[in-house]
Amino acid sequence: MTTLQLTMIGVGGTVGTGIFFILSQAVPEAGPAVLVSFVLAAVVAGLTVVCYAELASTMPSSGSSYSFTYATMGELMAFIVGACLILEYGVSGAAVAIGWSEYLNLLLHNTLGFSFPAALSAAPDAGGVINLPAVILIGLCLVLLLRGASESARANVIMVMVKLAVLVVFAAIAFTGFHADHFANFAPAGVRGISVATGSLFFSYIGLDAIATTGGEVRSPRRAIPRALIGALAIVTAIYLLVAVAALGAQRADRFDDQTASLATIVQNVVGATWPGTLLAIGAVISIFSVTLICLYGQTRILYSMSRDGLVPAALSRVDRRTHVPAFNTWVVCAAVAVLAGLLPLGILADLTSIGTLTAFGLVSLGVIVLRRTAPDLPRGFKVPATRSPPFCRSSPASMS
């Protein structure tokens, strides 16, 4: 894969969760000050991204933070990180698949006049029997993943371009109904509300570390991965802030509470017609498809690396001779995520995702410090800015191997 494809993997795995349906949870917590929450979450993600970039430029591999932790802190800590990553990717994939069903139902209703019944559109705890659209989405991702990494990456680039275009169109329409007085009571819940919303929105930045899982399938990974990580973070943060400002300007903050398909609803109210909502629903269906695809891709590569190292069964690292994809691994991952998406509600899945993500991010950041002390002379294609290696514990690159 190329640097552009890598960047689009980061954007594709990130843009969607935070914009298309998490706003209805975060805005009631912070009000218009959710804009500050987006920036704070981006800062935390950015600090982690530069740590990922340094480790990926030093020892690129398909295991992301699991492989980094294995090399710097040993097998036990690596197993803990691997478990967290499995939780992060699997549960987040299920969570965004649940959001997909909201927009799919809106799209079907606006275009064909019908939608999935409530019993087949929600988990048991949410009043349904099974979230069938979410399960269907996982099945579609399975088909694409089994075709190979490069095919999945090309399809993702197309989907990312479409959803970015749709989000720009949303902002353009929403700004026609912009009211500055919607920002008058900027932080109704104060610092506490901003902090709580930041925790919720952190969930929307998790797709960035999927870039670091591609080390074994990239051209010039020592240069491409750091560039893609930083480029994807910049694109994601810019599009989040653009859409959030437009959405809050077009709709009062108190109307976001538990609003389904919120972006589509906003533009429908601004224009007074259903076609903008249909356009947004198309963008969301494509967008969340790509997010789910990247989440599942990342989880299969983590399991592959753990299996290769002997921490999970060897069958999970068995690669298909024709497609060079860990096929059995992919089937197992998609089956497990389909069960979660079909039977668990979004709130529980989002909280579980944040727990796994924060643990993995923290250990990656610690891994940079450990590697600086144990192998300061190891060649690095990128270093965390404004830092230096300690003048002790010198070792040679050969000792790391």
Side-chain angles (χ1 to χ4, degrees):
M1 290 185 282
T2 64
T3 301
L4 173 62
Q5 289 177 324
L6 276 185
T7 304
M8 291 302 101
I9 281 178
V11 176
T14 307
V15 173
T17 53
I19 284 298
F20 280 105
F21 62 90
I22 204 77
L23 276 178
S24 61
Q25 297 181 27
V27 172
E29 294 168 343
V34 74
L35 299 174
V36 179
S37 299
F38 267 119
V39 173
L40 291 176
V43 169
V44 175
L47 293 172
T48 308
V49 158
V50 293
C51 293
Y52 268 100
E54 176 167 330
L55 292 178
S57 72
T58 307
M59 43 185 177
S61 72
S62 60
S64 183
S65 49
Y66 159 75
S67 295
F68 304 153
T69 306
Y70 196 103
T72 57
M73 286 177 273
E75 192 172 88
L76 177 60
M77 294 303 293
F79 182 81
I80 294 172
V81 170
C84 290
L85 287 171
I86 291 170
L87 175 66
E88 173 192 337
Y89 283 113
V91 174
S92 62
V96 296
I98 290 172
W100 189 73
S101 66
E102 294 180 7
Y103 282 94
L104 179 66
N105 271 337
L106 177 63
L107 178 61
L108 292 175
H109 176 75
N110 285 357
T111 57
L112 302 177
F114 77 94
S115 58
F116 284 86
L120 298 179
S121 300
D125 283 358
V129 176
I130 187 173
N131 196 322
L132 185 59
V135 175
I136 292 172
L137 174 60
I138 303 299
L140 295 173
C141 290
L142 170 65
V143 172
L144 193 54
L145 287 170
L146 290 175
R147 293 182 60 85
S150 60
E151 286 80 1
S152 299
R154 281 194 290 268
N156 179 67
V157 169
I158 296 170
M159 288 188 284
V160 170
M161 294 301 183
V162 169
K163 72 178 171 183
L164 291 181
V166 168
L167 287 173
V168 170
V169 170
F170 162 80
I173 296 173
F175 275 123
T176 64
F178 189 90
H179 297 280
D181 59 344
H182 289 175
F183 296 88
N185 187 17
F186 188 70
V191 174
R192 180 185 177 279
I194 294 172
S195 177
V196 172
T198 301
S200 299
L201 291 172
F202 187 73
F203 166 73
S204 66
Y205 284 90
I206 62 169
L208 294 170
D209 66 340
I211 294 172
T213 68
T214 63
E217 299 163 287
V218 182
R219 300 174 191 166
S220 304
R222 294 181 187 276
R223 290 183 300 170
I225 292 177
R227 291 174 181 175
L229 281 164
I230 295 169
L233 176 64
I235 294 170
V236 165
T237 303
I239 200 73
Y240 278 2
L241 290 175
L242 172 67
V243 174
V245 169
L248 287 164
Q251 178 175 277
R252 295 195 312 271
D254 57 5
R255 297 181 61 186
F256 281 86
D257 195 10
D258 292 327
Q259 187 179 51
T260 60
S262 58
L263 296 191
T265 302
I266 289 170
V267 290
Q268 285 185 171
N269 292 338
V270 168
V271 176
T274 60
W275 70 262
T278 303
L279 179 63
L280 258 293
I282 293 172
V285 166
I286 294 172
S287 169
I288 298 172
F289 189 115
S290 71
V291 174
T292 309
L293 178 68
I294 299 306
C295 288
L296 295 174
Y297 171 84
Q299 188 178 20
T300 60
R301 273 36 179 190
I302 297 297
L303 276 177
Y304 169 82
S305 296
M306 294 181 72
S307 174
R308 182 190 57 195
D309 293 334
L311 300 184
V312 294
L316 295 172
S317 59
R318 195 174 300 141
V319 175
D320 183 89
R321 293 181 180 180
R322 183 177 61 85
T323 62
H324 306 290
V325 168
F328 176 71
N329 172 339
T330 304
W331 276 99
V332 170
V333 165
C334 290
V337 174
V339 171
L340 294 176
L343 300 178
L344 290 183
L346 176 61
I348 292 175
L349 293 173
D351 291 341
L352 288 173
T353 301
S354 294
I355 292 168
T357 303
L358 286 169
T359 303
F361 280 13
L363 287 172
V364 166
S365 302
L366 180 61
V368 172
I369 299 172
V370 171
L371 196 62
R372 289 284 188 91
R373 292 179 177 273
T374 58
D377 296 328
L378 199 66
R380 291 166 169 82
F382 175 89
K383 293 184 71 173
V384 176
T387 62
R388 62 184 180 87
S389 298
F392 50 83
C393 300
R394 312 294 287 184
S395 63
S396 65
S399 67
M400 284 297 295
S401 61

